[in-house]
Amino acid sequence: MEWGGGRREGNIEDRRGMGVGGVGLAGGGIGAVVLAAVGYFVFGINPETTMSVVNGAQQPAAQEGVRGSVSDKEGQFIDVIETSNTDVWGPLLAKHDVNYRPPAAVVLYTQATGTGCGTGQSAMGPFYCPADQKVYLDTSFWNELESRFGAKGEFARAYVISHEIGHHIQSLTGAGDETRRLGARGAESGSVRLELQADCYAGVWARHAPETSGGGIQISKADIEDGLGAAAAVGDDAIQEQAQGRVMPDSFTHGTSAQRMRWFGKGYDAGDPGACDTFGARTL
């Protein structure tokens, strides 16, 4: 993937190395963020409330880091991908009468940080907090993505970032209402449809990124294969098989590897967010 000529708006909030005073890193983890997401999207409960209960302690107030452009290559890459999403989604959503506003920031942090949804921890992986409309990312996740899940290449990282921005788009369009209506459990659950739609949005971004960047971003066929590989690697069935040696469909939250690949590919092939109606789809 070539991205060095991509535009950067500097919508980055750098908290790396700041830490979170008084917050341990053992509590909460992935279970906390899953419960928080379910609580918010299904029952309308503030994620901060859910995560506070799970962690057994009051969460600290969200911190503020250094805002603007960053000098390291890793941060610049994230800046380019976030800016490219803005360039893609502004005109695309305008066709659907939706005014695209970028996330409040993409927050880079180390190990743990305060958020509008409670304490964010690196064990959660990248996530979007609807309460403050920020994307949170501990860049050490890239090592996990490659070493544990086998998802290699910069485009795999771009897919992850664009997936989280997809959740921001859902916040703008009110997709959470559909999630609450459908409920939270089972392979056809609202949470699965929400995640697959974000995968589809990542595919739409990939289709339009080169043309909207004026050549500053180039995505090859091999890059798309890396994106499909990343989607497959983080399917619920693949993760469960690796972690516990068996698959439990009733506990799926993001969709199977095949579903994630299918919806990413559908978004890329169509190049149209209208093709990402996972909530209206009879089969996923």
Side-chain angles (χ1 to χ4, degrees):
M1 177 179 183
E2 297 181 16
W3 57 272
R7 195 171 69 86
R8 288 184 280 137
E9 283 191 329
N11 190 24
I12 302 294
E13 184 181 336
D14 195 352
R15 302 182 190 175
R16 289 173 291 184
M18 290 179 61
V20 180
V23 177
L25 300 182
I30 190 72
V33 77
V34 169
L35 285 175
V38 170
Y40 178 79
F41 288 116
V42 181
F43 302 111
I45 301 172
N46 188 325
E48 183 175 1
T49 302
T50 308
M51 294 178 78
S52 295
V53 171
V54 172
N55 288 337
Q58 184 176 359
Q59 304 298 335
Q63 300 166 281
E64 282 293 331
V66 179
R67 297 294 298 261
S69 298
V70 289
S71 59
D72 62 295
K73 182 178 179 181
E74 198 166 47
Q76 289 176 354
F77 172 76
I78 295 167
D79 194 348
V80 166
I81 301 306
E82 192 276 333
T83 302
S84 175
N85 269 273
T86 297
D87 292 341
V88 167
W89 286 109
L92 275 184
L93 290 182
K95 296 177 182 178
H96 295 267
D97 297 320
V98 175
N99 178 33
Y100 180 76
R101 303 184 306 275
V106 176
V107 179
L108 308 182
Y109 70 97
T110 305
Q111 294 188 311
T113 191
T115 83
C117 298
T119 300
Q121 298 184 22
S122 57
M124 301 172 180
F127 64 95
Y128 172 73
C129 173
D132 58 21
Q133 296 196 344
K134 294 181 179 181
V135 173
Y136 289 87
L137 173 62
D138 182 337
T139 54
S140 66
F141 176 75
W142 301 146
N143 297 327
E144 182 87 353
L145 189 66
E146 183 170 339
S147 62
R148 180 181 175 188
F149 300 113
K152 301 178 180 180
E154 286 182 319
F155 187 81
R157 302 178 181 188
Y159 153 72
V160 170
I161 297 165
S162 299
H163 171 96
E164 297 306 330
I165 293 175
H167 286 311
H168 175 63
I169 295 170
Q170 291 168 332
S171 180
L172 299 177
T173 61
D177 295 337
E178 283 295 303
T179 308
R180 286 189 290 271
R181 182 179 66 82
L182 290 171
R185 295 190 61 81
E188 302 293 303
S189 73
S191 64
V192 167
R193 291 175 186 270
L194 196 77
E195 297 295 338
L196 293 178
Q197 186 177 66
D199 283 335
C200 187
Y201 286 160
V204 172
W205 165 78
R207 177 62 177 267
H208 293 284
E211 65 194 50
T212 57
S213 70
I217 296 175
Q218 295 294 324
I219 297 174
S220 68
K221 183 177 179 180
D223 292 326
I224 297 301
E225 291 298 321
D226 285 343
L228 290 169
V234 293
D236 286 322
D237 52 344
I239 292 175
Q240 289 182 357
E241 181 68 33
Q242 182 192 72
Q244 58 198 30
R246 61 194 177 102
V247 176
M248 302 173 63
D250 286 346
S251 64
F252 285 176
T253 58
H254 285 65
T256 66
S257 295
Q259 288 171 335
R260 301 199 72 170
M261 291 174 67
R262 176 174 180 262
W263 283 98
F264 173 83
K266 189 170 184 178
Y268 181 78
D269 291 341
D272 181 0
C276 299
D277 183 14
T278 55
F279 295 97
R282 291 188 176 182
T283 60
L284 298 176

